[in-house]
Amino acid sequence: MKHLDCFHCAEPVLTGTQFTTFINNEEQVMCCPGCQAVSAAIIDAGLTNYYKYRTEPGSKQNALVPEELSSFSAFDLPEVQQDFVHQSSNISSVSLSIDGITCAACAWLIEHKLKHVNGIVKIQVNTTTERALVSWQENTIQLSKILNHISAIGYQAAPYQVDEQEIKSKNNSRQFLLKLGLAGFATMQVMMFALALYAGYFTDLEVQYRDYFRWVSLIFAAPVVFYSAQPFYFSAIRSIFSGRLNMDVSVSIAILGAYIASCIATINENGEVYFESVSMFTFFLLLGRYFEQNARQKASVSSSNLHKLIPLTAHRVTENVTKEIPAKSLKIGDVILVKPGEVVSADGVITQGMSSINEAMLTGEQLPVSKGDRCEVYAGTINIEQPIHVQVTAVGQDQLVAEIIRLQESASNNKPKVALYVDSISNYFTWTILFVAVLTYVVWKIYWPEDAFWVTLSVLVATCPCALALATPTAVTCATGIFTRIGVIVRKPGVFEKLPKIQHVVFDKTGTLTCGELEINSAELFSAMNKQEALAIAAALEMSSLHPIARAFDSYRDHQISAHSTQSHIGLGLSGSVLGTHYKIGSAKFVNLTDSDDHAIYLHDTKHLIAKFILSDSIRSDAAKTVKTLLAQGNRVSIASGDTSTHVDEVADKIGITEVNKGLSPGDKLALIQQYQSQSNVAMFGDGINDAPVLAGANLSIAMGSGAAVTKSSADLILLGDQLSRFTDAVKVAKLTEKIIKQNLCWALGYNLFIIPLAVTGHVLPYVAALGMSASSLIVVGNSLRLLKVRL
Amino acid sequence: MSIIYVLIPIAMLFVLIAIGIFFWAVKSEQFDDLDRQSVSILFDDETQASKVSKDQQSTDSSKP
């Protein structure tokens, strides 16, 4: 059979030509009703150009359930809106984070779809941050309608509150760009005149032209010194107040010293000018800082985009009347109704009904837990099967989620501080330079007072720590670039010092070594039915369920077969009739068998057992290879899992890990990591919210791109593509980076040590100082650029 | 050679204009989303979009 891919999402089509859309005079095949509905909506809106210009396929669509669409109505409540909607006269505006944006064509599609909707004033979509800014007229259209329009073309939008931290970092980044751009423009000009002045040494340049060029350079260098270089001055002042001198102190002294000296030389019409060195040096340093800042901002945006963990609204039940209210107005003792598929909005105990609750966001385990009367449920967990009434026992900061976040914060404050090389070096270096300069001035003042000022300045300029200041940032910038290219995001500074020192890697099981999704491992048949038929019947029955087990059967669906009168039996399984026969599917207990296999699902008709399906959490394809590489590099590798079942040992066995710790609570994990830390540097992999405290406690923490938001915000590194093998690549790059930083520092220190005695004794000719300064910086930059050529 | 007394100030003026444009571009968020701006020239064609939709409607109606 010819293999077809869905025209919209490029996933394989398993349903034949059942779903098609007429696009550009051709019938295009779709994989599911969801993709069909979305592509039809796009074509109907006259937005065919989307398919013409997109560079990435769209995301797979699930058929939109009417209930899901109506859930947007919660966003129309004024109490809910007041948190994130800004109003001025009749116009409201909101920031939306949008799921499913894959390329620039998506932004175009959303903008054009909404532009023509009555009542929308302005819409602007940003593909980098996956966000949209929408303004609309309050009395013409409601927010829920706008969200409906966006979801009709296949994107999930949700309002979010921009946090202060993010606004600050965005402003910062823009300020950096302005300063960098200005420094760039000015440097180009100053260099041009510097070239003329250098040429003047060797040919006859009349003094009047020389002075003219100097004055022009002075004017161009002024904005660089007084505007672009500001971040260095502020950092220097802060470090002086904290009593520990950093590199920015000597950078600031060099910039200001060289500029002032050059101004004096220009005004007095004798001496030397260093305007070009000052501008170029500032530009290079800013460039490094700008890239660093940008990478960090990108990481913070991508993790804060994830939807909120706790829902905004709750259904409060008072005397059998259910009313939708904002979750934050809930009080202890209120009773709320949680429907199947909904997220629990506050911690509480079940007072009525029983159901299975998916607590994956707390425990990391995908399999739901059955809960009945008086059982505790937690905010953020998902109700799977039946409606339940919950009496609220904790609100706001007292809820378990808030508790976990606090635990994580306190653990990250206790993190062992790894001293940065440059920080400690620069402290001594700066003190030494200042001491030498003062000594030089005093000695020269006593013996040759007329030269004292100029010699001291030449000491400051010649020993200007350009190369030293550039040594780390340029190498780190190049390495960050490679990390971004391979899909590893650096969240915190200092990663490049920590990565090469890692000796022990600890993995959480679910979601890191495994994908966190169940799949059918094997099927055992007990009747005449063939495997495909049995799977299709099972899939039809499971279709009505939201249970993670049901998702494992999704890919075996046959659209010709459907189930009737399906019933779910909490914690046991499902029953229903398919093609006139009544079936039961579920655990051993459900079909009256005595089998203790936790991961087996049985299909049973009224009389016989038909099939046994073994489910397992699928292991990541590159997990074994990564572990092998880590072991080969001399690391210790172990598992720390909250899971108690034998599945942990199976996974460990398959991947080749011998050290297994299972059944650990978040607190136990933290204790285990601390015990390991007493012997070696520990790197921890995790993905669930329960891993957040451990990640904060480890020397280096790595979160998976698909993991929970809190986990990602506490991690040092994020693996975007969820490919574990990228970690070993990252270690390789970090080791090389460390080597290059050391080379750079050796060179820079060597140069400075060589030039200081010459400068102190007044033997450094002005152009030699300028040349040495530029050459030492360029050698450092060139050496760092070697990093970009690394083969992975 | 004394012409440079005139030409250099003119060059400085150009640089000032360039810096002004750069500042305006940064402040009007031109650099916030580099992926989108680089391809937006392909899309922004209001008339073509509506024409395509008309074509689409006519072919749809001619469809049996």
Side-chain angles (χ1 to χ4, degrees):
Chain A
M1 202 185 94
K2 203 181 134 222
H3 188 73
L4 279 173
D5 285 338
C6 175
F7 187 73
H8 184 79
C9 70
E11 297 222 355
V13 176
L14 306 164
T15 51
T17 53
Q18 197 180 347
F19 305 105
T20 60
T21 312
F22 196 73
I23 301 169
N24 282 338
N25 303 328
E26 249 181 275
E27 287 287 350
Q28 302 289 359
V29 182
M30 303 288 159
C31 64
C32 61
C35 285
Q36 188 193 26
V38 164
S39 58
I42 293 171
I43 301 303
D44 289 346
L47 301 169
T48 325
N49 269 356
Y50 165 69
Y51 288 111
K52 199 164 153 196
Y53 293 122
R54 64 180 181 170
T55 50
E56 301 284 335
S59 45
K60 188 178 165 74
Q61 301 301 325
N62 296 315
L64 297 167
V65 193
E67 283 155 43
E68 233 171 87
L69 292 179
S70 67
S71 72
F72 287 140
S73 65
F75 292 122
D76 291 336
L77 295 173
E79 299 97 317
V80 176
Q81 280 198 357
Q82 73 182 21
D83 276 348
F84 45 79
V85 173
H86 300 276
Q87 266 170 329
S88 60
S89 63
N90 247 334
I91 311 285
S92 309
S93 58
V94 69
S95 292
L96 303 173
S97 83
I98 299 186
D99 271 1
I101 289 186
T102 50
C103 68
C106 294
W108 175 86
L109 185 63
I110 297 167
E111 281 181 11
H112 280 250
K113 167 85 181 167
L114 289 192
K115 230 181 229 172
H116 302 295
V117 172
N118 204 9
I120 296 214
V121 182
K122 195 181 141 197
I123 168 142
Q124 205 177 4
V125 181
N126 186 325
T127 46
T128 320
T129 53
E130 302 190 358
R131 284 173 183 181
L133 195 68
V134 186
S135 309
W136 74 97
Q137 285 165 331
E138 185 74 359
N139 43 22
T140 324
I141 192 168
Q142 285 172 312
L143 181 56
S144 59
K145 291 270 162 22
I146 298 172
L147 298 178
N148 271 333
H149 276 294
I150 298 176
S151 76
I153 49 171
Y155 302 93
Q156 271 69 55
Y160 73 96
Q161 220 174 342
V162 188
D163 65 10
E164 255 167 67
Q165 188 59 43
E166 210 193 301
I167 296 176
K168 231 168 96 185
S169 111
K170 193 180 167 187
N171 266 337
N172 242 341
S173 166
R174 185 173 299 173
Q175 286 297 320
F176 253 109
L177 187 59
L178 286 175
K179 293 189 165 91
L180 178 70
L182 182 73
F185 274 114
T187 304
M188 279 191 274
Q189 301 304 313
V190 179
M191 290 297 266
M192 207 162 69
F193 296 111
L195 217 62
L197 287 171
Y198 283 138
Y201 279 120
F202 306 106
T203 57
D204 269 348
L205 184 69
E206 286 164 51
V207 177
Q208 53 180 16
Y209 292 123
R210 189 199 70 178
D211 288 345
Y212 179 54
F213 288 149
R214 285 180 169 191
W215 275 104
V216 175
S217 304
L218 184 151
I219 294 168
F220 272 123
V224 179
V225 172
F226 296 112
Y227 176 70
S228 296
Q230 275 173 4
F232 307 120
Y233 308 149
F234 290 136
S235 156
I237 292 168
R238 269 198 302 274
S239 93
I240 288 170
F241 279 126
S242 70
R244 193 182 158 82
L245 298 190
N246 66 5
M247 190 57 80
D248 287 332
V249 175
S250 34
V251 165
S252 304
I253 292 174
I255 292 176
L256 286 173
Y259 185 74
I260 292 167
S262 306
C263 288
I264 293 171
T266 308
I267 295 163
N268 292 344
E269 297 178 7
N270 73 23
E272 282 311 317
V273 296
Y274 304 98
F275 294 119
E276 82 287 0
S277 315
V278 171
S279 316
M280 192 178 71
F281 173 47
T282 310
F283 176 71
F284 273 141
L285 274 181
L286 274 175
L287 195 66
R289 303 253 170 124
Y290 175 71
F291 284 132
E292 239 177 288
Q293 159 92 13
N294 238 13
R296 228 172 294 153
Q297 195 207 349
K298 207 170 172 181
S300 80
V301 165
S302 69
S303 59
S304 70
N305 254 359
L306 293 155
H307 298 306
K308 286 186 180 149
L309 297 166
I310 304 169
L312 294 163
T313 59
H315 300 280
R316 185 170 58 189
V317 186
T318 37
E319 289 152 15
N320 293 326
V321 186
T322 310
K323 197 182 162 212
E324 192 171 24
I325 60 156
K328 64 176 181 180
S329 61
L330 281 174
K331 287 179 199 71
I332 290 173
D334 281 352
V335 176
I336 54 172
L337 169 71
V338 186
K339 294 178 196 162
E342 276 188 349
V343 179
V344 181
S345 39
D347 286 6
V349 290
I350 298 177
T351 52
Q352 200 183 318
M354 67 183 287
S355 181
S356 306
I357 309 284
N358 184 339
E359 295 189 331
M361 55 82 60
L362 289 176
T363 59
E365 297 309 320
Q366 284 296 323
L367 286 180
V369 190
S370 310
K371 296 213 167 173
D373 207 23
R374 306 314 301 172
C375 282
E376 286 185 333
V377 290
Y378 304 103
T381 56
I382 304 163
N383 179 19
I384 304 258
E385 280 160 323
Q386 301 289 324
I388 47 170
H389 282 101
V390 174
Q391 186 170 28
V392 178
T393 54
V395 289
Q397 284 304 305
D398 299 328
Q399 299 186 119
L400 189 63
V401 178
E403 198 68 39
I404 290 182
I405 294 172
R406 269 204 300 278
L407 185 59
Q408 168 232 326
E409 275 168 3
S410 70
S412 62
N413 289 338
N414 295 333
K415 204 161 192 160
K417 286 206 171 60
V418 183
L420 302 163
Y421 303 126
V422 179
D423 252 15
S424 51
I425 292 177
S426 61
N427 191 20
Y428 298 119
F429 184 83
T430 312
W431 281 115
T432 315
I433 294 292
L434 289 177
F435 176 72
V436 169
V438 170
L439 198 71
T440 311
Y441 185 77
V442 171
V443 173
W444 281 77
K445 192 80 189 168
I446 295 168
Y447 296 99
W448 307 274
E450 67 277 15
D451 287 332
F453 178 71
W454 291 105
V455 171
T456 310
L457 259 176
S458 89
V459 169
L460 281 176
V461 173
T463 58
C464 160
C466 329
L468 202 61
L470 287 170
T472 320
T474 49
V476 168
T477 306
C478 293
T480 311
I482 300 171
F483 272 34
T484 315
R485 202 171 67 206
I486 62 174
V488 179
I489 287 209
V490 180
R491 282 261 317 143
K492 290 183 185 159
V495 165
F496 293 98
E497 286 97 59
K498 293 183 209 160
L499 255 180
K501 294 202 188 92
I502 292 303
Q503 296 147 319
H504 191 157
V505 183
V506 182
F507 289 95
D508 171 44
K509 180 190 63 95
T510 320
T512 52
L513 289 174
T514 64
C515 304
E517 272 168 32
L518 289 170
E519 63 173 16
I520 296 169
N521 206 359
S522 66
E524 217 178 307
L525 294 161
F526 301 101
S527 74
M529 198 180 278
N530 73 28
K531 190 176 161 186
Q532 206 180 347
E533 266 179 279
L535 279 168
I537 290 169
L541 285 166
E542 293 282 5
M543 220 207 99
S544 61
S545 170
L546 292 162
H547 200 282
I549 286 178
R551 246 181 287 155
F553 287 91
D554 259 2
S555 52
Y556 298 98
R557 270 196 70 195
D558 181 338
H559 288 264
Q560 314 288 336
I561 301 178
S562 58
H564 303 283
S565 53
T566 43
Q567 249 190 318
S568 103
H569 305 263
I570 296 145
L572 296 169
L574 296 157
S575 67
S577 53
V578 180
L579 303 172
T581 319
H582 190 78
Y583 291 100
K584 280 159 94 179
I585 184 165
S587 61
K589 202 169 138 202
F590 188 46
V591 293
N592 302 321
L593 282 171
T594 45
D595 193 333
S596 61
D597 197 337
D598 289 344
H599 290 270
I601 295 292
Y602 300 88
L603 180 66
H604 200 282
D605 68 8
T606 39
K607 295 185 194 87
H608 313 98
L609 180 66
I610 297 172
K612 174 183 176 182
F613 305 110
I614 310 276
L615 299 176
S616 69
D617 195 353
S618 50
I619 296 173
R620 271 185 212 285
S621 53
D622 57 355
K625 194 186 119 202
T626 309
V627 169
K628 212 173 142 192
T629 320
L630 285 173
L631 289 170
Q633 285 169 348
N635 294 299
R636 238 174 100 185
V637 180
S638 44
I639 289 184
S641 175
D643 196 348
T644 46
S645 71
T646 51
H647 186 53
V648 188
D649 301 302
E650 269 170 49
V651 170
D653 203 37
K654 270 188 197 156
I655 303 178
I657 300 178
T658 46
E659 222 174 300
V660 181
N661 308 282
K662 56 184 182 177
L664 303 177
S665 71
D668 292 342
K669 281 191 188 178
L670 188 57
L672 180 76
I673 294 284
Q674 280 163 351
Q675 185 203 323
Y676 283 150
Q677 271 176 335
S678 61
Q679 300 154 19
S680 51
N681 281 309
V682 180
M684 172 81 199
F685 275 83
D687 82 316
I689 211 179
N690 59 327
D691 295 326
V694 206
L695 288 177
N699 296 72
L700 182 85
S701 49
I702 307 104
M704 307 305 282
S706 55
V710 188
T711 323
K712 288 205 258 185
S713 68
S714 65
D716 293 306
L717 283 180
I718 301 172
L719 296 184
L720 274 190
D722 284 3
Q723 277 176 294
L724 287 175
S725 59
R726 290 306 189 194
F727 177 69
T728 47
D729 289 342
V731 173
K732 201 172 137 190
V733 173
K735 280 189 174 153
L736 191 62
T737 310
E738 192 189 33
K739 208 171 102 189
I740 284 192
I741 290 177
K742 277 185 182 156
Q743 288 169 355
N744 285 349
L745 288 176
C746 285
W747 161 256
L749 278 177
Y751 164 77
N752 278 312
L753 288 179
F754 167 76
I755 206 87
I756 287 174
L758 294 179
V760 169
T761 50
H763 283 95
V764 176
L765 291 171
Y767 72 92
V768 173
L771 214 68
M773 211 163 117
S774 311
S776 68
S777 314
L778 286 178
I779 287 171
V780 163
V781 173
N783 192 35
S784 298
L785 287 176
R786 287 198 304 140
L787 261 176
L788 291 180
K789 289 196 203 120
V790 65
R791 293 262 168 275
L792 290 172
Chain B
M1 188 70 174
S2 56
I3 187 71
I4 60 164
Y5 286 112
V6 183
L7 288 179
I8 288 177
I10 293 176
M12 287 169 88
L13 197 70
F14 279 126
V15 173
L16 272 182
I17 293 170
I19 290 174
I21 292 174
F22 174 73
F23 270 54
W24 166 82
V26 172
K27 287 198 167 136
S28 61
E29 307 193 349
Q30 301 274 324
F31 290 94
D32 278 19
D33 185 2
L34 295 174
D35 303 340
R36 170 114 168 82
Q37 307 300 345
S38 59
V39 290
S40 63
I41 190 164
L42 287 173
F43 295 118
D44 269 340
D45 200 343
E46 210 67 41
T47 50
Q48 205 211 334
S50 57
K51 195 177 133 259
V52 168
S53 91
K54 252 180 241 151
D55 288 353
Q56 196 65 47
Q57 277 157 14
S58 63
T59 47
D60 277 349
S61 55
S62 67
K63 217 170 72 177

